Amino acid sequence: MAEASKGRIPYLLSLPALLLFAALLVTPLVMTAILSFQNYDLTTGVIDGVTLGNYRDALSDPYYHTIFLRTIGIALATTVLCVLIGAPEAYVLSRMQPPWRSIFLIVSISPLLISVVVRTLGWALLFGRNGVINQVLGALGLGTGPIPLLYTVHGIVIALVHVSVPFMVISVWASLQRLDPKVARAALSLGASEATVFRRIILPQIIPGILSGSLIVFALAASAFATPAIIGGRQLKVVATATYDEFLGTLNWPLGAAIAIVLLVVNAAIMLTYNNLLERRYARTTR
């Protein structure tokens, strides 16, 4: 009996957190999924009945195809750029000596200390036709006219990278903290080059950090609302802004719920596939 009671202790201790998780996350998701199967009428709004028409509209309409492809493309581009910027940045930070390491680490994650709306509005001021970037390029005589950055996909990607890079830096930084510098020094003393040490010793050990950081960045970029809404404007839609329009614009809540559920499923499928492929490749390279 005593052993059985001890075995239940971890579950009892985690029960409050599980109940809070269910109340704040699982319950709204279930309610959204139920809403996505309800009927909608232009005059009366949400009405009783079960239908798959909302999913049919979300999956068969070319308008939503374009929005989903744009959203996934923006998320993938943001993730790749964050890996290319954040992983080397975290590695350089790990090689610094105190107090510079702490100072530059705080500078690297400083975007997280500012509201995402404030950061995005700052980028909007920089991207405008008369913004700082175009003014500097014009003063230097580069280009024949203003470079279109505002209300463009690449403008959204740049702003999302600025928002998301700190998450990649933190993830890779956590992996680098478990790296024993003596192993790299031993490899160098045995004649290995710096490139070989990085490729055979350091990179395999920071792959988990890159994986976790990529998943975080992709999820945040695919579901971002404020940055695409401000930088992309009303015409350049992503899934989050399209869902917002259905809920608060046309008041078609069931269709908006269906779009949100489809995005959730697509994100989960892409992230699980990426995780499995990278883990298999990582396992083969470390055998």
Side-chain angles (χ1 to χ4, degrees):
M1 293 293 294
E3 293 295 332
S5 299
K6 289 182 180 180
R8 288 196 297 267
I9 289 178
Y11 299 99
L12 294 175
L13 292 175
S14 61
L15 183 61
L18 291 175
L19 292 176
L20 181 63
F21 177 81
L24 298 181
L25 182 62
V26 177
T27 302
L29 283 177
V30 172
M31 295 176 64
T32 302
I34 294 174
L35 178 62
S36 67
F37 290 103
Q38 291 187 290
N39 288 302
Y40 173 78
D41 184 78
L42 289 174
T43 57
T44 59
V46 180
I47 56 178
D48 294 333
V50 178
T51 179
L52 295 175
N54 300 312
Y55 287 96
R56 184 176 61 249
D57 293 339
L59 296 174
S60 62
D61 194 335
Y63 171 73
Y64 292 112
H65 292 172
T66 302
I67 290 177
F68 274 99
L69 290 175
R70 180 185 297 130
T71 302
I72 299 303
I74 289 174
L76 288 174
T78 302
T79 303
V80 171
L81 289 175
C82 284
V83 171
L84 296 177
I85 297 173
E89 182 178 345
Y91 179 68
V92 171
L93 287 172
S94 69
R95 301 291 294 271
M96 288 183 174
Q97 299 297 322
W100 297 109
R101 180 167 53 196
S102 300
I103 293 173
F104 280 98
L105 180 61
I106 294 174
V107 172
S108 299
I109 65 175
S110 60
L112 300 180
L113 306 178
I114 306 172
S115 168
V116 64
V117 176
V118 175
R119 291 196 305 264
T120 306
L121 288 173
W123 279 108
L125 294 175
L126 292 174
F127 286 161
R129 293 179 62 85
N130 296 319
V132 175
I133 294 177
N134 280 313
Q135 288 182 0
V136 171
L137 293 177
L140 296 175
L142 301 176
T144 58
I147 298 176
L149 294 172
L150 199 60
Y151 311 129
T152 61
V153 170
H154 48 274
I156 296 175
V157 171
I158 293 172
L160 285 175
V161 168
H162 176 244
V163 173
S164 305
V165 159
F167 294 100
M168 181 63 67
V169 172
I170 292 173
S171 299
V172 178
W173 173 268
S175 296
L176 287 168
Q177 297 310 298
R178 297 191 295 268
L179 181 63
D180 188 355
K182 294 180 181 179
V183 178
R185 289 197 293 266
L188 291 172
S189 67
L190 293 174
S193 63
E194 289 279 359
T196 302
V197 170
F198 180 81
R199 180 171 56 87
R200 300 294 297 274
I201 297 176
I202 296 175
L203 184 59
Q205 297 189 62
I206 66 173
I207 285 294
I210 294 176
L211 172 61
S212 59
S214 300
L215 295 178
I216 294 172
V217 170
F218 182 87
L220 291 175
S223 59
F225 170 77
T227 300
I230 295 173
I231 302 297
R234 299 295 300 172
Q235 299 299 320
L236 198 61
K237 298 290 185 184
V238 295
V239 175
T241 55
T243 304
Y244 176 87
D245 288 342
E246 295 297 339
F247 270 96
L248 299 181
T250 62
L251 300 181
N252 191 343
W253 289 18
L255 179 57
I259 295 172
I261 295 298
V262 171
L263 176 64
L264 176 64
V265 173
V266 171
N267 277 351
I270 293 175
M271 293 168 67
L272 289 174
T273 302
Y274 171 75
N275 183 40
N276 291 333
L277 290 176
L278 193 59
E279 283 188 346
R280 290 175 185 174
R281 181 175 179 82
Y282 173 67
R284 288 198 302 266
T285 57
T286 53
R287 284 176 182 172

